[in-house]
Amino acid sequence: MNEAVLDVQDQPKTVQWISLSLQHMFAMFGATILVPKLVGLSPAIALLTSGIATIIFILITQFKVPAYLGSSFAFIVPITIATETGGIGSAMIGAMFVSLVYAIVALIIWKTGYRWLMELLPPIVVGPVIIVIGLALSGTAVDMAMNITVDGVSQYSMKHFSAALVTLITAIICNIYFKNIISLMPILIGIIAGYIYSAAIGIIDYAPIAKASWFQVPDFLIPGIDYSFTVTPTLLFVMVPIAIVTISEHIGHQLVLGKIVERNYIKDPGLHRSILGDGLGTLISSFVGGPPKTTYGENIGVLAITRVYSVYVIIGAAVFAIAFSFFGKLMAVIETIPTAVLGGISILLFGIIASSGLRMLVDNRINFGDKRNLVISSVILVIGIGGAKIQFSESFSIEGMALAAIIGVLLNLVLPGRNKEEIDHGTA
């Protein structure tokens, strides 16, 4: 392991601090603003709450974990379903209950340790659920890339599809052919290239930019003011089970980050603290209208390349994100990004999500010659991607990836032949 340029508690000089923090902000920028664009939330609020959630996370983890929290892609479909059935407010309420699950899990880990969680969420359950999350969104990505709506009718547009392809190809080139910081920002660079191409072929409406002021307060969504606080069983079963995936993702990030900075974050400050910090970030975000949060792999990649592990650099990035969220002209530019550009980048992004689930299965050497593993993964994939639903009443149903996750956990618990997970949580 190479020696750190700046260790976790080191404070950089002012100029270095600014440049390194901006680098982290741009690494997460594209993905963080993409989620709200896809689900109908405010990109400005997503940016603002990512900064706030990150600072909360660092405070909860006692300034020991240099992690940045951005918008979670795992909740795109649940937020869309919740919004269609009960309005955007119901999605925010669902996210609040997800944060409550985080808090409960953190409390149990604090009292009993973390081994039970590893046994409850083994790779054979989490891997296929992650694949479902990516593939369930594939139709949406392709539709956004190829089609436009004219007089309420969806029509194929080669011009718009060409913008999607330029975006996609640029992101692929950045990811494959560059090995420095550029390779960690394929989403942002792809969107910029797609936007420039879209401007050249004349498919951008610049009116929102002209109307926007330089300073603009983000559009907050406050419960009891902007929407009524109503909880339904369907809402809970749409949103809450996705915590199965995001908590597993969180653990994976903590293990990888610990290896990079040569610390054992599972023990110190403890998995309970980091999960609680993640949950509180999601709670604050949803309370003001932002999407659920998760630790970002992009920023972990920046740490690995730069060998700058300072939490103060991460805090600086969070402060910049908060400041940028009030930059009205920039937020207006984001609003004008063509749907085709978002579709092009989504083709790659959703595919990578699905592939990361496949990679989890490969990395953990899951044996599909074992009938138990084959049954669990097969059922999860078909139920999740097929959109199966259990309808209890007109107002209560469990469907899609939420149902797939629940059934996956139950199958793992009841089918014979389950082995206890023996995972080494020591640092490398």
Side-chain angles (χ1 to χ4, degrees), residues 83-300:
T83 301
E84 290 173 351
T85 56
I88 195 65
S90 65
M92 296 299 96
I93 294 167
M96 293 178 197
F97 277 92
V98 169
S99 67
L100 179 61
V101 172
Y102 274 72
I104 293 171
V105 170
L107 177 62
I108 296 174
I109 291 174
W110 179 45
K111 293 296 184 181
T112 66
Y114 54 82
R115 292 287 176 182
W116 65 272
L117 186 60
M118 302 301 182
E119 294 180 13
L120 186 66
L121 302 176
I124 188 55
V125 172
V126 178
V129 172
I130 293 175
I131 294 173
V132 166
I133 289 173
L135 295 185
L137 292 163
S138 58
T140 299
V142 172
D143 181 69
M144 291 171 62
M146 291 196 315
N147 301 322
I148 59 172
T149 301
V150 179
D151 297 328
V153 180
S154 181
Q155 298 180 2
Y156 176 82
S157 170
M158 186 59 220
K159 178 184 283 190
H160 286 75
F161 193 33
S162 68
L165 292 176
V166 168
T167 304
L168 175 61
I169 291 169
T170 302
I172 292 172
I173 291 173
C174 290
N175 202 21
I176 298 298
Y177 293 102
F178 291 87
K179 301 301 180 184
N180 52 22
I181 193 68
I182 293 177
S183 68
L184 297 170
M185 296 189 288
I187 297 173
L188 178 62
I189 297 173
I191 290 175
I192 291 173
Y195 192 89
I196 293 171
Y197 176 81
S198 297
I201 62 175
I203 61 171
I204 297 178
D205 177 13
Y206 297 103
I209 301 176
K211 294 178 182 177
S213 58
W214 288 101
F215 177 84
Q216 190 167 313
V217 177
D219 298 323
F220 292 95
L221 286 174
I222 309 298
I225 298 176
D226 297 300
Y227 59 88
S228 59
F229 197 100
T230 305
V231 181
T232 64
T234 297
L235 170 63
L236 297 181
F237 278 101
V238 164
M239 296 287 289
V240 171
I242 308 305
I244 293 171
V245 174
T246 53
I247 289 175
S248 300
E249 179 184 47
H250 175 93
I251 294 170
H253 282 170
Q254 292 302 99
L255 292 172
V256 171
L257 183 58
K259 289 180 180 179
I260 290 172
V261 305
E262 297 184 305
R263 285 167 172 80
N264 190 332
Y265 286 136
I266 302 299
K267 294 182 178 178
D268 183 26
L271 189 59
H272 62 289
R273 281 186 175 274
S274 61
I275 287 179
L276 179 61
D278 208 336
L280 285 177
T282 291
L283 177 63
I284 298 300
S285 176
S286 57
F287 190 80
V288 297
K293 297 294 183 274
T294 186
T295 49
Y296 258 28
E298 291 92 332
N299 296 90
I300 294 175

Side-chain angles (χ1 to χ4, degrees), residues 343-399:
I345 203 67
S346 295
I347 290 173
L348 176 63
L349 194 61
F350 298 159
I352 288 176
I353 292 172
S355 298
S356 67
L358 183 60
R359 179 179 175 179
M360 176 180 286
L361 298 174
V362 173
D363 288 349
N364 287 276
R365 298 191 177 104
I366 300 301
N367 177 19
F368 282 99
D370 184 335
K371 292 181 181 179
R372 183 180 189 277
N373 292 337
L374 190 62
V375 166
I376 292 173
S377 60
S378 300
V379 171
I380 290 173
L381 290 172
V382 174
I383 285 179
I385 297 172
K389 176 169 65 174
I390 297 178
Q391 185 87 40
F392 295 96
S393 67
E394 289 187 6
S395 61
F396 178 28
S397 64
I398 309 173
E399 59 186 285

